[in-house]
Amino acid sequence: CKPVQRGTGVEHLQGQCQSEEVNGMNKKADIGLIGLAVMGENLVMNMESKGFTVAVYNRTVSKVDDFVNGRAKGLNIIGTHSLQELADSLAKPRKVMMLVKAGAPVDDYIEQLLGVLEPGDVIIDGGNSHFPDTIRRTAYVESKGLLYVGTGVSGGEEGALKGPSMMPGGSPAAWPLVKPIFQSICAK
């Protein structure tokens, strides 16, 4: 990790992932996030403030454009308009975090992500899923060769922005891949 100087003069650590270049100019993102409601936006802002490049997607793509051209303008945040574009914008092994409604929407996104990710990539559920669902999803995603993490993100919109309490569980092999990001953004 190398220090990065921002306009505020405050040093931040750059994400552990060495971002690759795309088309000779744009960096690949360290993590992707699906779901740009208040919690999602704030968690993205938190990650970016710690030096990580974040790719974002929302099923209502106008929310992506509004976010990237508004609050996130000029920051290391990449807006995407499809799950394929999200996957293509990420450094490997890819990490995609979902902040969507618990239940069927999580299962629906898992199915869609399995079509654009590859073995060794990590799917993260940052919602409030019931732990038996996380156990079931971990086994299912691992059976497809990918890794899965269910992590509660607690603290509301302020916690998401300034440091949430995070409680990850799931595929043990995923921990080394998500640890640098999670430990950088969580409450201390």
Side-chain angles (χ1 to χ4, degrees):
C1 293
K2 68 177 187 175
V4 179
Q5 207 59 294
R6 300 280 170 108
T8 60
V10 177
E11 279 192 344
H12 297 275
L13 291 179
Q14 184 160 342
Q16 178 176 329
C17 300
Q18 289 288 330
S19 297
E20 301 172 27
E21 289 194 354
V22 181
N23 298 328
M25 62 191 311
N26 295 325
K27 290 182 178 182
K28 291 246 182 181
D30 300 303
I31 189 168
L33 188 131
I34 298 169
L36 289 176
V38 174
M39 288 288 288
E41 278 194 16
N42 281 352
L43 202 60
V44 168
M45 298 300 286
N46 181 341
M47 291 176 187
E48 197 280 341
S49 76
K50 303 300 187 293
F52 296 99
T53 298
V54 186
V56 297
Y57 170 78
N58 198 83
R59 69 181 174 171
T60 306
V61 294
S62 61
K63 289 192 86 159
V64 173
D65 295 335
D66 291 346
F67 179 59
V68 170
N69 294 317
R71 185 177 182 198
K73 188 172 183 139
L75 300 177
N76 292 316
I77 297 171
I78 301 166
T80 67
H81 293 149
S82 70
L83 292 178
Q84 184 65 61
E85 190 180 351
L86 178 71
D88 292 344
S89 72
L90 298 171
K92 294 181 182 181
R94 295 172 283 201
K95 296 163 285 298
V96 177
M97 185 171 196
M98 303 174 288
L99 274 173
V100 299
K101 185 177 179 182
V106 174
D107 291 315
D108 293 344
Y109 271 113
I110 289 170
E111 286 304 320
Q112 293 175 61
L113 287 168
L114 289 173
V116 298
L117 298 178
E118 58 192 36
D121 290 343
V122 183
I123 298 174
I124 305 160
D125 174 16
N128 290 316
S129 292
H130 193 43
F131 76 92
D133 291 333
T134 300
I135 293 168
R136 172 182 54 81
R137 291 173 180 139
T138 300
Y140 176 67
V141 170
E142 286 179 345
S143 79
K144 303 294 185 182
L146 285 79
L147 303 172
Y148 189 83
V149 173
T151 184
V153 178
S154 181
E157 59 187 85
E158 185 176 357
L161 182 62
K162 297 180 179 177
S165 175
M166 299 179 73
M167 300 141 284
S171 306
W175 179 241
L177 303 175
V178 301
K179 177 182 175 181
I181 296 172
F182 282 14
Q183 288 189 338
S184 292
I185 67 170
C186 73
K188 307 292 187 272

